[in-house]
Amino acid sequence: MTPSELGALLRAAPPRAGATRVIAFDGRSGSGKSTLARALRDELGAPLLSMEDLYGGWNGLENGIDLLVSEVFEPLAAGRTALVPRYDWIARTWAAPVELAPPGLLVIEGVGAGARRAAAYVSVLVWLDATEPTRKKRALGRDGDVYLPHWNDWAVQEKRMLERERTSQRADVVLDTEAPPT
C-alpha cells in the first residue's frame, strides 16, 4: 500500500482524538515503521510523532505507551495542545517537551503505537511485519553499536507486550515489508 493510498484511508476514517485523525504504524523493531511513516508525513504534510521520544530509555516500552495516551492523545481529544515528552537518548534524560496543537491529521510510529490503551484514539492502525533476521539487519544498520547491546532485552519487551496486545490481529492494514518496494 502506497503512502498516497494510506493517506486516502486516513482522510476517510473518522477522527478519534478529538478532531484529529491518527494513523499509527506499529510493528517489531526494524520492520520499516519509520520509513513508511516519514513517507506518509511528507505525502500529507502532517506532524510525525515517534514513540522513541516517549520510551524514556531501553526499558521504557510500557511507559512510552502510557505517555502517548496521557500526554498526547488525552489532550488532543479534549481539544488542547499536547506537550509531547522527548527523551534525549544521548544525555539519558528528558528534554523539554514539544507543543503539538491539535492537527487535523497525525502520523505516529513506533512499537506500542497501536496498543489497546491507545487504540481508542487511533483512526487507522497499520501493522508492519518482516522476519527477525531482516528486522535485526535493518535496525542495527540504522542504529549500529548503540542498539546492539540492547537488541535482546528490547525484543523481550516487544514480545511480551505484543503477545498481550495482539496488535497485528487488530490492525486495519497489515503490510509485509520483507522485500523492498519495487
Side-chain angles (χ1 to χ4, degrees):
M1 187 168 258
T2 68
S4 181
E5 292 168 323
L6 289 168
L9 187 63
L10 178 60
R11 284 187 202 99
R16 298 184 71 197
T20 302
R21 289 174 172 84
V22 176
I23 187 166
F25 292 95
D26 205 334
R28 303 282 307 255
S29 187
S31 62
K33 299 175 301 296
S34 299
T35 301
L36 189 52
R38 283 191 300 268
L40 184 60
R41 172 203 60 201
D42 294 346
E43 172 82 18
L44 298 174
L48 169 63
L49 189 151
S50 175
M51 291 293 294
E52 288 183 11
D53 289 338
L54 305 176
Y55 297 140
W58 290 107
N59 294 311
L61 177 57
E62 295 291 341
N63 182 61
I65 298 166
D66 290 339
L67 289 175
L68 175 63
V69 173
S70 66
E71 304 304 312
V72 178
F73 286 151
E74 289 176 357
L76 293 179
R80 297 189 321 266
T81 295
L83 297 176
V84 182
R86 287 184 316 118
Y87 186 73
D88 182 330
W89 289 86
I90 305 301
R92 296 184 182 173
T93 188
W94 291 97
V98 173
E99 289 187 6
L100 177 65
L105 304 172
L106 177 62
V107 180
I108 297 180
E109 67 82 17
V111 180
R116 289 181 200 274
R117 57 195 183 269
Y121 303 97
V122 173
S123 300
V124 178
L125 175 57
V126 180
W127 176 263
L128 283 77
D129 202 13
T131 64
E132 194 272 341
T134 296
R135 293 183 305 95
K136 187 171 185 178
K137 181 178 178 182
R138 288 176 185 165
L140 296 181
R142 178 189 65 218
D143 298 323
D145 294 338
V146 173
Y147 196 168
L148 184 59
H150 305 284
W151 175 264
N152 291 332
D153 291 338
W154 186 257
V156 168
Q157 287 180 78
E158 285 181 337
K159 183 177 186 226
R160 185 179 322 122
M161 187 271 299
L162 293 170
E163 284 176 351
R164 180 188 74 234
E165 297 290 334
R166 301 192 177 278
T167 310
S168 64
Q169 296 160 356
R170 295 183 294 100
D172 300 300
V173 177
V174 176
L175 300 174
D176 180 353
T177 64
E178 187 65 27
T182 56

